[in-house]
Structure formats: structure tokens, C-alpha cells
Amino acid sequence: MLDLRTKLQELAALPADRPMGMPGAYYTSQEQFEWEKSTVLRHGWHALGRCDEIPEPGDYFTVQLLDEPLIVVRGDDGQIRVLANVCRHRGMPLAEGRGNAKRFVCSYHAWMYGRDGALLRAARMDNAAFDSKNCRLHGHNIQIWNGFIYCNLDGDAAPFGEESAPLDQMLAPYEPESFRLVHVAEENWHTNWKCLVENFMEGYHLSVVHPRTLHGYTPTGLARKSVSGPGFTSYCANYPDDIPSRGDGAPGLSDAERQRSSLFARFPTQVTSQAASLLVSICIFPISADLIRVKWTMSVYGDDLSDETIEARIKLWEEVNKEDREKLERMQIALKSQHAHAGPLAPDDYEGTIRDFQTWLAQEDARHGAEAQAAE
Ligand code: FES
Ligand SMILES: [Fe+2]
């Protein structure tokens, strides 16, 4: 694994005009995955979903983020909280799937928790050491950005700040927080989490992998690198001039902004496509070196799109995701080969985002490596 970490530093230090990809083991080694889990993943901000998935008090959904089962719930005060989905008695998960709950009642011995995680009742607890105040569900660190809910398991990551101003500026004209949710779906993909980030974020494959679904709108040849910075990257998938309008979106958008999808990643695990009328985002939940849970959401701007158009867009994205998944799952097998060497990357407009991701991973790795060493 040290070899892979050394390799990552070497590649990140290459001159900008000769970028290279990482070897297959970087994406298939379970040891590497465990290291990432305890460092870059545990430390990062992870998108869990959209605020309007849970519009009413008591609305909740559950997710598994690394080793942590979570309940994402809206409280009586209207605040969104991310609670540990682990009973304080003996560890049973309290909720599954999604729904609305007045209280969370454990299915094992019926301890009952409020929507804010406070323990409200525990029957027959005649134990001198028992104090319900010490039995709250753990509340994780969260932040809301552009209508997305993010969680940090470590509890010590700084919220997004000035450093992501270029991304904020790029997205602001689209009014991302005004988008309303129309679709949520989840499935497991047999791929490495980094492979999906890279795949979603490069325009090099668009015309090859998606000849019927995307090529007509976002051909590879029109892909252009866009803003990047600490913890994010982006590119513009521009539409040809002659395609029909895909919806007006926010009034402040320029014609150029209406004629493209802005694809961005918030590292480590969120990838998103922001267009005038359509916002599609994937939350990646890494499970093992070669397995992820994919949760994707689709949101639309106001009433821009008719119900039929929304249905058609959902179908289109299902097809696009299927095309990507098929490629990634086949590649995951080949990446185990001893001959899966690092290859050269395409120029910035096509694969510069992969290079940004690599650079960020290398910086994070070096920082966590130094911390681990200092702790020894
Ligand atoms: S484990 Fe939840 S009440 Fe016992
Ligand atoms: Fe794709």
C-alpha cells in the first residue's frame, strides 16, 4: 500500500503537460481502501441527499456512511439533524428506509427517542447508573449547501468557506437552492468509489459510452475544463448550437449558461450535473474497494419542465447511469490485472478533472500520513 501512496505523490508531482493515471491496485486494494476510509473519507464532507427529501418535521431517511448508520431527520424546530442510527441501549439500528416518525422506537427493547435524538423513555430501567440524559443519540456534524445536506463523521472538518467561492459563483446564477426534488433512486455498483468520481467528472468518454443518450447534447468535443480549487473540480459539457432549448431555468442565466451542463465534484464523494432546468447529483457511499452504494437525485427548476418531460429525463438518466455502470463494473475486474499500469491522461478539457482529484487526494494523503506518523 505504501507503494501506492508513494506512486500517488509521484504522479501528483508530474508536470502539468504529462499527467498520468494511477495503477489498477489503487482502485482494487482493500488495504488501500481501509486506509482511505480511516483518513480522507472519514475526514471529508459527504453529501447525503437533498433538504427537500425531508420537507416536514419527522420526515427522515437513512443512509450508511462508511461504518456509520445514520438517520437524517427534520426536527420539530425545522432543523435537519444527522443522528447515529444506533440505539444507546445495546446497539440496534432504530430506523430503516425512509418515512415520517413522531418518535424512533427501538425494535429490540422499545427505548424511545425524540426527533432530536433525546431518549424519552426506557421501560423498567431500574439501574443506578442509568441517566436518560447520557443516552442521547449522537448528533453528527452537518452543513447545508445549495440545498444539499452534508455530513462529516470526524467532527473536525471546517465547513465549506471562501475556498469554494469560484464554485459558488459558477453555480449561483442557476439558483440551485430553488430546485425541487422529483426523483431519488439507490443501487449498488461493483466499482471503486474513485472510479465513479473520475468517470462522472471527465468528458472524454461522453461520445463513446453515450452515443445515443448524451452525444447529441454534450459531445466530448465541446467539453471544457472549468473552475477548480481545494476540494472541488468542474467542467462544462457544452451543447451544440442547433439543439432545441432544454428549459429556461433561472432568469439571471446567460445564453451560454443555458447552453451547457456544469458538472462538478465536491470531493471526496459527490458528483453533480447542474443545468438550467435540471440538477442531477450522485452521492457515493463507499462500501469496500470494489463496491459502492449509489444514491442519485434529480431536481428541476420551478415548473420549467412538464411531467412528461420529467419522466423522459428520469428515463434518460437511468439509461446514462446504466451505460456508465456497465463500463465501470467491467473495468473493475480488469483493474485487478498485474498489467493494469498507469496510463497517460487526456488534456485538461477532457480529463483535467481527474488530475485535480489526484492532486487533492495526494495532498490529503500526505497530510494524514504525517498525522499518523506524528501519532506513532
Ligand atoms: S437495543 Fe435498543 S432498546 Fe435495547
Ligand atoms: Fe458517463
Side-chain angles (χ1 to χ4, degrees):
M1 184 192 70
L2 258 186
D3 287 354
L4 286 172
R5 294 183 49 210
T6 307
K7 184 85 184 167
L8 179 62
Q9 296 302 330
E10 284 170 11
L11 293 196
L14 287 174
D17 64 344
R18 49 187 62 211
M20 300 283 289
M22 284 290 285
Y26 188 52
Y27 305 95
T28 61
S29 154
Q30 190 58 26
E31 196 188 351
Q32 171 68 23
F33 177 74
E34 294 298 332
W35 165 251
E36 289 166 355
K37 216 168 108 172
S38 65
T39 55
V40 61
L41 291 172
R42 184 97 200 165
H43 179 79
W45 283 105
H46 299 268
L48 305 181
R50 297 284 293 170
C51 295
D52 59 350
E53 285 182 67
I54 45 173
E56 301 298 330
D59 287 350
Y60 72 88
F61 65 82
T62 58
V63 290
Q64 175 81 23
L65 177 56
L66 307 177
D67 289 334
E68 303 299 336
L70 306 174
I71 306 176
V72 183
V73 59
R74 194 177 289 272
D76 297 306
D77 54 2
Q79 296 298 309
I80 291 173
R81 291 182 180 81
V82 177
L83 304 173
N85 189 8
V86 185
C87 181
R88 292 296 308 272
H89 178 223
R90 278 169 48 207
M92 197 68 174
L94 293 159
E96 55 183 327
R98 57 176 62 234
N100 182 281
K102 227 177 167 39
R103 311 260 182 261
F104 294 103
V105 181
C106 183
S107 62
Y108 205 174
H109 314 94
W111 281 27
M112 181 196 282
Y113 301 85
R115 293 158 165 176
D116 62 354
L119 179 63
L120 302 178
R121 201 170 70 206
R124 302 174 220 278
M125 281 304 295
D126 192 9
N127 175 332
F130 171 72
D131 179 347
S132 65
K133 286 196 287 303
N134 297 331
C135 297
R136 284 187 81 88
L137 299 178
H138 177 74
H140 286 282
N141 214 13
I142 77 158
Q143 67 173 317
I144 308 291
W145 177 81
N146 282 8
F148 292 106
I149 305 160
Y150 294 83
C151 175
N152 163 244
L153 296 176
D154 248 6
D156 66 354
F160 307 145
E162 273 304 297
E163 78 287 346
S164 59
L167 186 60
D168 290 326
Q169 278 157 21
M170 180 179 89
L171 298 172
Y174 293 89
E175 300 180 11
E177 70 291 344
S178 315
F179 278 64
R180 66 183 172 87
L181 185 80
V182 293
H183 188 70
V184 187
E186 290 187 43
E187 54 193 41
N188 287 356
W189 292 20
H190 292 274
T191 185
N192 182 268
W193 66 278
K194 301 186 297 284
C195 290
L196 178 50
V197 174
E198 294 178 356
N199 172 79
F200 197 96
M201 287 313 301
E202 53 94 345
Y204 196 35
H205 78 281
L206 291 174
S207 292
V208 185
V209 175
H210 309 293
R212 286 181 319 281
T213 47
L214 293 183
H215 168 70
Y217 293 100
T218 55
T220 291
L222 296 181
R224 293 292 175 270
K225 181 77 172 35
S226 189
V227 296
S228 58
F232 68 92
T233 188
S234 66
Y235 83 96
C236 295
N238 295 294
Y239 312 153
D241 289 336
D242 53 356
I243 62 149
S245 159
R246 311 191 79 196
D248 287 340
L253 285 172
S254 68
D255 289 346
E257 284 161 340
R258 283 201 177 94
Q259 277 297 103
R260 67 182 176 227
S261 298
S262 295
L263 286 90
F264 69 89
R266 269 216 178 266
F267 306 142
T269 52
Q270 183 192 19
V271 288
T272 298
S273 168
Q274 172 76 70
S277 299
L278 205 69
L279 173 67
V280 173
S281 191
I282 298 184
C283 308
I284 302 168
F285 296 96
I287 297 171
S288 66
D290 46 21
L291 186 64
I292 57 175
R293 186 142 186 92
V294 169
K295 171 179 174 179
W296 70 278
T297 60
M298 179 182 283
S299 309
V300 299
Y301 184 81
D303 298 324
D304 253 17
L305 305 181
S306 68
D307 289 350
E308 298 79 67
T309 306
I310 291 171
E311 270 315 303
R313 290 285 197 280
I314 293 170
K315 288 252 153 11
L316 177 81
W317 272 90
E318 283 173 345
E319 193 55 35
V320 168
N321 285 338
K322 205 168 123 203
E323 289 166 343
D324 285 322
R325 175 180 178 174
E326 196 251 349
K327 286 289 177 286
L328 291 178
E329 292 193 335
R330 284 178 59 206
M331 188 169 78
Q332 190 65 23
I333 294 165
L335 286 173
K336 292 209 169 89
S337 162
Q338 291 183 3
H339 303 286
H341 301 304
L345 295 174
D348 259 11
D349 281 338
Y350 307 122
E351 290 191 317
T353 45
I354 294 185
R355 166 91 176 168
D356 287 344
F357 187 35
Q358 192 183 73
T359 306
W360 181 79
L361 285 165
Q363 284 164 354
E364 287 291 301
D365 192 276
R367 189 164 63 80
H368 289 293
E371 277 171 18
Q373 243 175 5
E376 267 170 21

